[in-house]
Amino acid sequence: MTEKILILDFGSQYTQLIARAVREANVYCEITPYNKEIIYEPALKGIILGGSPFSVNEENALKADVKAMTEHVPVLGICYGAQLTAKNYGGKVEKSDKREYGRAIFSITKTDIILENVSPSSQVWMSHSDTIKELPEGFELLGTTESIPVAAFKRTTNNGQKATSNEKPLYGLQFHPEVYHSAEGKTILKNFLVNICGCSQDWTPAHFITDTVEALKKQIGNSKVIMGLSGGVDSTVAATLINKAIGENLYGIFVDNGVLRKNEFEDVLAIYKKLGLHVIGVDAKDHFYSKLAGKTDPEEKRKAIGNAFIEIFDQEAHKIEGAEMLGQGTIYPDVIESLSIHGPSATIKSHHNVGGLPDTMKLQLVEPLRSLFKDEVRRVGLELDIPHEMLFRHPFPGPGLGIRILGEVTAERVRLLQDADAIYTNGLKKHNLYSSVWQAGTILLPVKSVGVMGDERTYEFTVALRAVTSVDGMTADWAHLPYSFLADISNEIINNVPGINRVVYDISSKPPATIEWE
């Protein structure tokens, strides 16, 4: 049985970072809403209370019974979680004399196993407007900063009496150990996980693969699974895991929607064959082009591509007799979003990764990656010997080049963009720039401009090159690619792609712009 840490979500922007830090210590964890019932199973080793944008003193403050938790497992409160802990036990939490955000210097006032191997003074990251003015009776101060009296604490007694053996350790940190700017925060979290919760740190990619394949065998049995593949990281790793469990009972369907990158259909099918996956390749370019004809609005194009995919997938799926299950590459951030205490985020646009298969298919879902973050999916993929170039490709939207062609999508415009984009992407790889960029792509603009080639005037299309640096795609800065590289790529595109006579470079960050143009 896999050991588990539970992280209670009170709405903080940093909650996923806590989970990432715990996973980096090779300890499995799950995020759950603060108000969901906790099942105290033997595998549960500890609970972390996350931060929150709210105040514990608000009338409708988010509450949790910390005392009840410590009857079962050790508990660590972070920021709001620390304030909630102090308030639960009778401490005083008030508005700070001044709001404390950003870097601070944490000074240890008393040594403790949670602070083992932590410097006497170290940088931490604060983000709070309330502060703990007085600790409850039976609690001990472990550290302070210049601005706040209580930066770390633990419970030593229960209402003046020594804590009984039934009461587990209880700690609080006013700062955020999970963020990069807390220099020794990961050490503190590891101390909590190992020294206090007794976690064995055995949750590794190999461990995950073994457990997942066994679970898939039990879930699927002799049933057939169909799965729409995209050539992307998530669907490829998910398919490879399912294949290890059930072999040829997995039927992959890879659709050429006409807006893939140059030669991608053939290249991806070759990799799938090398991986031993049973994949049906469907050339549906003409079907997609007919659905996109005359459409220029980005949202209409997205929906046309999504609906066309569903039609083709449904058509191909019905050719597979006895298929009862649907494989999907759902990953943990998707699950967290749906379980968030705020509910799913407001829709800015239809999601890039089109899907939404018809309810009439009545298929049971198989989602082997639903507990993993993206970087963990890649590590599992490496363990499965999936080629590095497939695992570490730049993100690519589901509607593909359909939303990188501004205006109407036609076969000729797709060809122009594929050729230009291939030159750009291959150039990034050749000059060792590809891995330093989070995402890069070429956009075909719906405008023509005058140019001169030899003694002739031309009137051809313009393309924009886009490259950004980012951690998670939520925010992004334009990549400062060398001018000499951009000059070489511009010349190569114009000289080798008839129909394009001008190349520009996009220097917009997100926000206010988005990574994709549509």
Short mmCIF file of all heavy atoms in Angstrom, two decimals, residues 177-197:
data_model
loop_
_atom_site.label_atom_id
_atom_site.label_comp_id
_atom_site.label_asym_id
_atom_site.label_seq_id
_atom_site.Cartn_x
_atom_site.Cartn_y
_atom_site.Cartn_z
N PRO A 177 7.30 27.22 2.84
CA PRO A 177 8.52 26.45 2.56
C PRO A 177 8.53 25.85 1.15
O PRO A 177 9.57 25.45 0.65
CB PRO A 177 8.47 25.34 3.62
CG PRO A 177 7.01 25.14 3.87
CD PRO A 177 6.41 26.51 3.78
N GLU A 178 7.36 25.80 0.51
CA GLU A 178 7.24 25.11 -0.78
C GLU A 178 7.72 25.93 -1.96
O GLU A 178 7.94 25.39 -3.05
CB GLU A 178 5.77 24.69 -1.02
CG GLU A 178 4.80 25.83 -1.29
CD GLU A 178 4.22 26.49 -0.04
OE1 GLU A 178 4.79 26.28 1.05
OE2 GLU A 178 3.21 27.20 -0.15
N VAL A 179 7.86 27.27 -1.78
CA VAL A 179 8.22 28.10 -2.93
C VAL A 179 9.74 28.19 -3.08
O VAL A 179 10.50 28.02 -2.12
CB VAL A 179 7.61 29.52 -2.84
CG1 VAL A 179 6.10 29.45 -2.67
CG2 VAL A 179 8.23 30.32 -1.70
N TYR A 180 10.15 28.47 -4.28
CA TYR A 180 11.58 28.50 -4.63
C TYR A 180 12.36 29.47 -3.75
O TYR A 180 13.51 29.22 -3.39
CB TYR A 180 11.71 28.89 -6.10
CG TYR A 180 13.11 29.21 -6.56
CD1 TYR A 180 14.01 28.19 -6.85
CD2 TYR A 180 13.54 30.53 -6.71
CE1 TYR A 180 15.31 28.48 -7.26
CE2 TYR A 180 14.81 30.83 -7.12
CZ TYR A 180 15.70 29.79 -7.39
OH TYR A 180 16.97 30.09 -7.80
N HIS A 181 11.73 30.60 -3.40
CA HIS A 181 12.44 31.65 -2.67
C HIS A 181 12.73 31.30 -1.21
O HIS A 181 13.52 31.98 -0.56
CB HIS A 181 11.66 32.96 -2.73
CG HIS A 181 11.38 33.42 -4.13
ND1 HIS A 181 12.36 33.87 -4.97
CD2 HIS A 181 10.23 33.46 -4.85
CE1 HIS A 181 11.83 34.19 -6.14
NE2 HIS A 181 10.55 33.95 -6.09
N SER A 182 12.08 30.28 -0.66
CA SER A 182 12.43 29.81 0.69
C SER A 182 13.62 28.87 0.54
O SER A 182 13.48 27.70 0.16
CB SER A 182 11.24 29.08 1.34
OG SER A 182 10.22 30.00 1.67
N ALA A 183 14.81 29.39 0.84
CA ALA A 183 16.06 28.72 0.48
C ALA A 183 16.17 27.29 1.02
O ALA A 183 16.66 26.40 0.33
CB ALA A 183 17.24 29.56 0.96
N GLU A 184 15.71 27.09 2.26
CA GLU A 184 15.82 25.75 2.86
C GLU A 184 14.44 25.16 3.18
O GLU A 184 14.32 24.27 4.02
CB GLU A 184 16.70 25.82 4.12
CG GLU A 184 18.13 26.24 3.79
CD GLU A 184 19.01 26.37 5.03
OE1 GLU A 184 19.62 25.36 5.43
OE2 GLU A 184 19.09 27.49 5.58
N GLY A 185 13.44 25.66 2.46
CA GLY A 185 12.07 25.19 2.68
C GLY A 185 11.88 23.72 2.38
O GLY A 185 11.16 23.00 3.10
N LYS A 186 12.54 23.24 1.30
CA LYS A 186 12.39 21.83 0.93
C LYS A 186 12.98 20.93 2.02
O LYS A 186 12.50 19.82 2.27
CB LYS A 186 13.08 21.55 -0.42
CG LYS A 186 12.54 22.39 -1.58
CD LYS A 186 11.20 21.90 -2.07
CE LYS A 186 10.66 22.76 -3.20
NZ LYS A 186 11.39 22.63 -4.46
N THR A 187 14.05 21.40 2.67
CA THR A 187 14.65 20.64 3.78
C THR A 187 13.66 20.52 4.93
O THR A 187 13.50 19.45 5.54
CB THR A 187 15.94 21.32 4.26
OG1 THR A 187 16.86 21.41 3.17
CG2 THR A 187 16.58 20.55 5.40
N ILE A 188 12.97 21.63 5.25
CA ILE A 188 11.99 21.62 6.34
C ILE A 188 10.85 20.65 6.01
O ILE A 188 10.43 19.85 6.85
CB ILE A 188 11.45 23.04 6.59
CG1 ILE A 188 12.57 23.96 7.07
CG2 ILE A 188 10.31 23.02 7.61
CD1 ILE A 188 12.18 25.43 7.18
N LEU A 189 10.35 20.71 4.77
CA LEU A 189 9.27 19.79 4.37
C LEU A 189 9.74 18.34 4.43
O LEU A 189 9.00 17.46 4.90
CB LEU A 189 8.80 20.13 2.95
CG LEU A 189 7.87 21.33 2.83
CD1 LEU A 189 7.62 21.65 1.36
CD2 LEU A 189 6.54 21.08 3.55
N LYS A 190 10.96 18.09 3.97
CA LYS A 190 11.49 16.71 4.02
C LYS A 190 11.61 16.24 5.47
O LYS A 190 11.31 15.07 5.77
CB LYS A 190 12.85 16.66 3.32
CG LYS A 190 13.43 15.26 3.26
CD LYS A 190 14.78 15.25 2.56
CE LYS A 190 15.42 13.87 2.61
NZ LYS A 190 16.78 13.86 1.99
N ASN A 191 12.02 17.13 6.36
CA ASN A 191 12.09 16.76 7.78
C ASN A 191 10.73 16.37 8.32
O ASN A 191 10.60 15.40 9.09
CB ASN A 191 12.66 17.92 8.60
CG ASN A 191 14.14 18.13 8.38
OD1 ASN A 191 14.86 17.22 7.94
ND2 ASN A 191 14.62 19.34 8.67
N PHE A 192 9.71 17.13 7.92
CA PHE A 192 8.35 16.78 8.35
C PHE A 192 7.95 15.42 7.81
O PHE A 192 7.42 14.57 8.54
CB PHE A 192 7.35 17.85 7.90
CG PHE A 192 5.92 17.52 8.24
CD1 PHE A 192 5.46 17.57 9.55
CD2 PHE A 192 5.04 17.12 7.24
CE1 PHE A 192 4.14 17.24 9.86
CE2 PHE A 192 3.72 16.80 7.53
CZ PHE A 192 3.26 16.86 8.86
N LEU A 193 8.22 15.19 6.54
CA LEU A 193 7.81 13.93 5.90
C LEU A 193 8.54 12.72 6.47
O LEU A 193 7.92 11.67 6.71
CB LEU A 193 8.06 14.02 4.39
CG LEU A 193 7.30 15.11 3.63
CD1 LEU A 193 7.84 15.24 2.21
CD2 LEU A 193 5.80 14.82 3.62
N VAL A 194 9.85 12.87 6.66
CA VAL A 194 10.67 11.72 7.06
C VAL A 194 10.81 11.62 8.58
O VAL A 194 10.51 10.58 9.18
CB VAL A 194 12.07 11.81 6.39
CG1 VAL A 194 12.94 10.64 6.84
CG2 VAL A 194 11.92 11.82 4.88
N ASN A 195 11.28 12.70 9.23
CA ASN A 195 11.54 12.65 10.68
C ASN A 195 10.28 12.56 11.51
O ASN A 195 10.26 11.94 12.58
CB ASN A 195 12.32 13.90 11.12
CG ASN A 195 13.68 13.99 10.46
OD1 ASN A 195 14.15 13.04 9.86
ND2 ASN A 195 14.31 15.16 10.57
N ILE A 196 9.20 13.19 11.03
CA ILE A 196 7.99 13.29 11.86
C ILE A 196 6.91 12.32 11.40
O ILE A 196 6.28 11.65 12.22
CB ILE A 196 7.48 14.75 11.85
CG1 ILE A 196 8.54 15.66 12.52
CG2 ILE A 196 6.14 14.87 12.58
CD1 ILE A 196 8.36 17.12 12.28
N CYS A 197 6.68 12.24 10.08
CA CYS A 197 5.63 11.33 9.57
C CYS A 197 6.16 9.92 9.32
O CYS A 197 5.36 8.99 9.19
CB CYS A 197 5.03 11.89 8.28
SG CYS A 197 4.20 13.48 8.48
#
